Amino acid sequence: MPKGSQPDSYRVGNPAAILAQRLRPTLIAANPRVGKGLTVAHAYRQAQANGAAVWVIQPKYHPKEHWYWEAADNVLGFMADSLETKEDIEAMQEEMQQFIFAWRQIPQRPKVLIVDELAMLKTTFKTWYESFLKPQLVMELSSGETDDRALWAMTQSSLVGDIGVSGGMRATFDLLTLQTPTSQGHLESLRASDKTIPPIDDPAIYERSFSPKGAVFYHSALPEWLPMVAYEVPKLAGENGQLSSPGETSPVTCGNQDGAGAVALPETKVTEFQSAQNAPDLALIIAVTRALETGMSRSQIIKEVLGYTGKRYAAGGELYDRIHAIIQENSDHD
């Protein structure tokens, strides 16, 4: 970025923390490969840490993405595009239907139901989607909050009306969308279907993102688009094949004493998936690299980018030093 085109300080938001803190019915719309699944994976782990039960319907349960969902309390995962016969499709419809009813019956509160790939569900189960699933989605998005139920409905579609929640109902649920510099078509279509979404007036916002994809986000509870923090990718750890512990969530401090870098939203948090013994995730390395380029100090990066404060600050310092050594080693080889 040319000198002078970036302000001395700017806000960076943590959409996963916002999802977990609000715990409301939410429609999450974004193109593939912009960080939608990773954001939700961090969000539901934070919700679990606060006592929520989390169930997931995942119709594209690819082995490479199992790690995102393994920590959920119950997962109905399948490959919708592998259902070959009418009998297979009808059996899966019945299984999803019973899964939703069972989720409603569990006594634990609050509780979250994540339904991914709505566009794929609509294509694969056309009649059932219209006659059963869409009314269920509408009911949860419009009234689930009154019973401490939160549906997080995820879709690639940019048309809010696709799931039947438009017009006067729109105010009953939250909307989260992630966008990148290459998703302008998706954003324009989304804004056409929901007039409440503001435009992105300053393209420089993408360059301020710590996300490897340069992603920014809009949440309907906020009045603006914000650059995103970076998230670690879930990894399987240990011989038992279990996910590494999500660890303790820590608040990201606000303010910037150096006058340059990112100012986090109040009470946003960063979840960690990997133990300190593992190699730092690429997303964190990129995030620290960008923070250093903006002039952030070691202390600021530990607190605001890595999310280590209070008693965990020393562990954050060790992580920072390892990441910094990797950055320097790669710089020396250039």
Side-chain angles (χ1 to χ4, degrees):
M1 176 184 294
K3 288 185 178 179
S5 62
Q6 180 169 301
D8 289 340
S9 65
Y10 54 91
R11 288 153 55 86
V12 171
N14 185 336
I18 296 170
L19 281 171
Q21 289 167 6
R22 289 179 63 77
L23 214 61
R24 294 194 71 243
T26 304
L27 177 63
I28 303 162
N31 270 344
R33 303 298 175 190
V34 302
K36 179 170 75 266
L38 186 56
T39 298
V40 172
H42 277 263
Y44 85 72
R45 284 168 170 82
Q46 293 189 33
Q48 285 177 315
N50 293 327
V54 177
W55 288 31
V56 178
I57 295 177
Q58 176 52 264
K60 194 170 72 174
Y61 200 45
H62 193 281
K64 291 183 178 179
E65 297 186 352
H66 283 187
W67 301 340
Y68 289 168
W69 313 112
E70 289 291 342
D73 298 288
N74 200 353
V75 181
L76 176 57
F78 58 96
M79 295 296 288
D81 57 6
S82 297
L83 300 175
E84 297 180 351
T85 67
K86 180 181 178 182
E87 290 73 20
D88 291 339
I89 291 174
E90 290 178 348
M92 185 51 64
Q93 289 174 177
E94 178 65 21
E95 195 168 349
M96 285 190 286
Q97 193 164 312
Q98 294 305 316
F99 189 88
I100 293 171
F101 290 151
W103 170 74
R104 285 212 188 100
Q105 294 302 315
I106 61 173
Q108 185 174 347
R109 298 291 191 281
K111 53 187 175 184
V112 180
L113 175 63
I114 301 170
V115 182
D116 197 6
E117 300 291 347
L118 287 183
M120 175 178 284
L121 289 173
K122 185 177 181 180
T123 300
T124 307
F125 308 97
K126 295 178 182 177
T127 303
W128 178 81
Y129 183 95
E130 293 294 330
S131 64
F132 175 80
L133 186 58
K134 183 187 283 188
Q136 299 300 316
L137 296 174
V138 170
M139 180 175 70
E140 291 300 331
L141 287 173
S142 61
S143 63
E145 186 181 15
T146 60
D147 191 36
D148 283 332
R149 303 194 310 263
L151 169 70
W152 294 350
M154 302 167 63
T155 182
Q156 298 177 18
S157 173
S158 58
L159 302 175
V160 174
D162 270 1
I163 60 170
V165 285
S166 55
M169 290 181 53
R170 173 60 191 83
T172 64
F173 64 92
D174 287 348
L175 172 69
L176 170 66
T177 181
L178 278 58
Q179 300 292 335
T180 66
T182 60
S183 63
Q184 294 303 308
H186 185 278
L187 175 56
E188 291 174 8
S189 181
L190 186 63
R191 291 191 63 234
S193 69
D194 187 339
K195 304 297 185 182
T196 65
I197 302 172
I200 296 178
D201 294 323
D202 183 6
I205 189 174
Y206 296 111
E207 300 176 40
R208 299 172 191 149
S209 174
F210 291 101
S211 158
K213 302 288 187 179
V216 301
F217 77 96
Y218 168 78
H219 191 285
S220 53
L222 304 174
E224 61 187 322
W225 287 88
L226 289 172
M228 283 178 57
V229 298
Y231 297 117
E232 288 196 70
V233 178
K235 294 289 194 302
L236 287 175
E239 296 180 358
N240 61 0
Q242 298 298 310
L243 276 171
S244 57
S245 170
E248 180 182 341
T249 57
S250 301
V252 179
T253 56
C254 295
N256 190 332
Q257 295 178 354
D258 291 347
V263 180
L265 289 175
E267 299 183 22
T268 57
K269 300 180 180 180
V270 176
T271 306
E272 59 180 74
F273 290 92
Q274 295 177 301
S275 67
Q277 285 72 33
N278 293 335
D281 186 81
L282 177 59
L284 279 187
I285 296 173
I286 294 173
V288 172
T289 300
R290 292 183 174 177
L292 289 169
E293 289 173 351
T294 67
M296 292 180 73
S297 67
R298 179 180 184 274
S299 177
Q300 284 178 294
I301 293 174
I302 292 170
K303 295 177 181 177
E304 299 178 22
V305 178
L306 300 179
Y308 287 78
T309 59
K311 295 180 180 179
R312 301 176 65 243
Y313 182 86
E318 294 177 3
L319 178 60
Y320 169 87
D321 291 339
R322 288 162 51 221
I323 293 174
H324 192 257
I326 292 171
I327 295 171
Q328 283 190 317
E329 181 180 351
N330 283 275
S331 298
D332 292 341
H333 292 164
D334 289 343

